[in-house]
Amino acid sequence: GGKGYFALDVTDPAAFSSESQAAKKVLWEFSEVDDGGVNNSDLGFSFSEPSIVMTNAEDNGQQRWAAIFGNGYNSTSVAGNAVLYIVWLEGGVDGSWSAGDFIKIDTGIGKAQSSDGSTPNALATPRAIDSDGNGTVDYIYAGDYQGNLYRFDLSASNSSQWSQSASKKVLFSAIGPDASAQPITTQPIVIKHPEKNGFIVVAATGSWLTNKDAVSTDIQSIYGIWDDLSSNPLATRSDLVEQEFENQPDQIAGYVVRTLSNNAIKWNQKKGWLIDLNVPTAGGGAVEFPGERAIRNLQLRGGVLFVNSVLPKDPNSCAASPGGFQLAINPKTGSRPDRIIFDLNNDQLFTQLDNVNGNSDDANIVSGTRFEGAVPADSSFIGNKRVTQLSDKSIAVIGTNTAEDLKTGRLSWRELIIE
């Protein structure tokens, strides 16, 4: 939560048996003091989780390792731009930081582009992608507080090329149906495109950082943007196929549920998909929970995208938030999954009894269940069970149809040297 990151050598857990021994295992600390000073640093509060990756850059014939993270919130720099940090793991081991010990890739988008002209921008947790399968990171995807979704190209072996303007691109700017910018504060998910070259980058919008966020009714969204790795112009909402959640009037085994549309995408005409979280009340009418936002961790399991949303509270009430939803989406198209996902009646099976009205038709597959009266945290999987801690200290567990077949074939190799 502070403005800084640190690295520890945890190779030998026994070395942490005392304070004095543990102190010797601190490799380095990188803070705003090391990056321009406390009054002019791009490093904000460290909400961005670092990824430790092997890069394409070389040092004495060996690939260099780095910690990669976004700059976080409320930086003190004059411009207040969103910035990507690439910190060499050996950079601060000597106790000091020099210009060659880390790389900053500045997006150039900051305070001047904010709605009030004074709020610093911030890059959220990045996603590192190895596009050619050789073990090194080639692309970084990350969103910022102003709703811009970026691709950073780290495929060059010369790290000086990473900061060049051609190596960074805004793929998409999240603008809601009310024409307001939608912040991206979570790590995106990236999958291979099902039909074309490149990737689909899934990002959800919304902020849950300030007191104002708790009562905001701004409409937030989930997007799947096709990045064909070209320099084509960025996508807009009109380039995306819209999918829609529908709240159902009847519960299933005590769950309030949602279904999701299945609108086809013609990839020669469109660049992805979107879901606006402005879901009407069951049976139609006004938006039931304006301000709903999917700000918990995006998870990909069994080919299904999972995410928890949070519902804002009534600003005129002292009551807690009305809770949230756990959502299941086909990440390729933003549509409903192609099979029954949730074991709602807890019979260890996935049958039409878990569908709306017990109907076997695909349109009745449940794509969302509600957490009522308590806000969900990030979720985890234990086997095929999705486990979520709620704000009332309870634990919600549900079975999911995400088991995968065991991999078969050769799982190892060895080299034979014939003399």
Side-chain angles (χ1 to χ4, degrees), residues 3 38-44 71-83 106-123 144-148 150 181:
K3 293 185 176 181
V38 295
N39 295 318
N40 188 27
S41 171
D42 290 305
L43 190 63
N71 67 313
Y73 305 99
N74 288 358
S75 69
T76 59
S77 69
V78 175
N81 292 344
V83 175
D106 193 334
T107 66
I109 300 177
K111 292 179 181 178
Q113 290 77 25
S114 66
S115 59
D116 60 6
S118 61
T119 300
N121 200 359
L123 199 69
D144 73 15
Y145 198 60
Q146 296 180 16
N148 300 298
Y150 302 89

Side-chain angles (χ1 to χ4, degrees), residues 59-78:
D59 183 23
N60 295 323
Q62 298 291 325
Q63 254 72 45
R64 300 186 71 181
W65 287 82
I68 297 179
F69 48 87
N71 67 313
Y73 305 99
N74 288 358
S75 69
T76 59
S77 69
V78 175

Side-chain angles (χ1 to χ4, degrees), residues 20-206:
S20 59
Q21 290 295 318
K24 299 176 183 178
K25 296 301 179 180
V26 178
L27 296 177
W28 47 255
E29 181 178 5
F30 180 78
S31 71
E32 60 179 346
V33 175
D34 304 300
D35 177 46
V38 295
N39 295 318
N40 188 27
S41 171
D42 290 305
L43 190 63
F45 291 108
S46 54
F47 281 77
S48 176
E49 297 182 12
S51 295
I52 298 176
V53 299
M54 185 167 67
T55 72
N56 288 297
E58 294 186 1
D59 183 23
N60 295 323
Q62 298 291 325
Q63 254 72 45
R64 300 186 71 181
W65 287 82
I68 297 179
F69 48 87
N71 67 313
Y73 305 99
N74 288 358
S75 69
T76 59
S77 69
V78 175
N81 292 344
V83 175
L84 179 71
Y85 281 84
I86 303 170
V87 177
W88 302 119
L89 288 190
E90 75 279 8
V93 172
D94 60 0
S96 63
W97 294 93
S98 62
D101 291 334
F102 61 96
I103 296 172
K104 295 197 300 184
I105 303 180
D106 193 334
T107 66
I109 300 177
K111 292 179 181 178
Q113 290 77 25
S114 66
S115 59
D116 60 6
S118 61
T119 300
N121 200 359
L123 199 69
T125 300
R127 176 74 65 180
I129 297 298
D130 174 14
S131 64
D132 54 14
N134 70 345
T136 60
V137 60
D138 299 305
Y139 299 102
I140 298 290
Y141 294 92
D144 73 15
Y145 198 60
Q146 296 180 16
N148 300 298
L149 181 62
Y150 302 89
R151 181 232 296 154
F152 301 92
D153 186 347
L154 273 61
S155 60
S157 58
N158 183 353
S159 60
S160 66
Q161 297 180 19
W162 299 347
S163 298
Q164 295 177 4
S165 58
S167 296
K168 54 191 175 185
K169 175 178 173 56
V170 176
L171 300 175
F172 180 73
S173 293
I175 305 294
D178 57 357
S180 61
Q182 301 168 302
I184 300 174
T185 59
T186 56
Q187 185 182 35
I189 284 282
V190 182
I191 65 170
K192 287 187 176 180
H193 195 288
E195 300 176 19
K196 304 288 187 177
N197 292 329
F199 304 100
I200 294 176
V201 185
V202 181
T205 72

Side-chain angles (χ1 to χ4, degrees), residues 187-266:
Q187 185 182 35
I189 284 282
V190 182
I191 65 170
K192 287 187 176 180
H193 195 288
E195 300 176 19
K196 304 288 187 177
N197 292 329
F199 304 100
I200 294 176
V201 185
V202 181
T205 72
S207 172
W208 200 247
L209 301 169
T210 68
N211 290 334
K212 183 178 66 174
D213 290 336
V215 296
S216 171
T217 57
D218 293 343
I219 301 302
Q220 303 299 334
S221 309
I222 307 171
Y223 297 96
I225 306 300
W226 173 23
D227 178 18
D228 62 3
L229 302 179
S230 72
S231 57
N232 292 337
L234 77 166
T236 64
R237 285 181 68 92
S238 63
D239 295 321
L240 309 178
V241 169
E242 184 173 5
Q243 308 288 2
E244 296 178 298
F245 279 110
E246 182 179 352
N247 289 326
Q248 297 298 317
D250 298 322
Q251 296 185 10
I252 303 177
Y255 287 97
V256 175
V257 301
R258 288 174 169 175
T259 54
L260 184 58
S261 63
N262 186 28
N263 299 321
I265 299 179
K266 296 181 179 180

Side-chain angles (χ1 to χ4, degrees), residues 348-359:
Q348 315 304 312
L349 300 172
F350 301 94
T351 69
Q352 65 187 57
L353 297 178
D354 299 301
N355 278 358
V356 174
N357 298 323
N359 192 315

Side-chain angles (χ1 to χ4, degrees), residues 303-350:
V304 179
L305 176 74
F306 293 89
V307 65
N308 294 338
S309 70
V310 170
L311 305 176
K313 61 177 291 185
D314 184 341
N316 299 314
S317 170
C318 295
S321 165
F325 282 84
Q326 61 178 335
L327 308 173
I329 301 166
N330 181 339
K332 300 174 184 178
T333 60
S335 60
R336 61 176 174 261
D338 58 4
R339 62 188 185 276
I340 297 169
I341 293 299
F342 295 114
D343 179 17
L344 298 177
N345 62 4
N346 199 31
D347 63 356
Q348 315 304 312
L349 300 172
F350 301 94

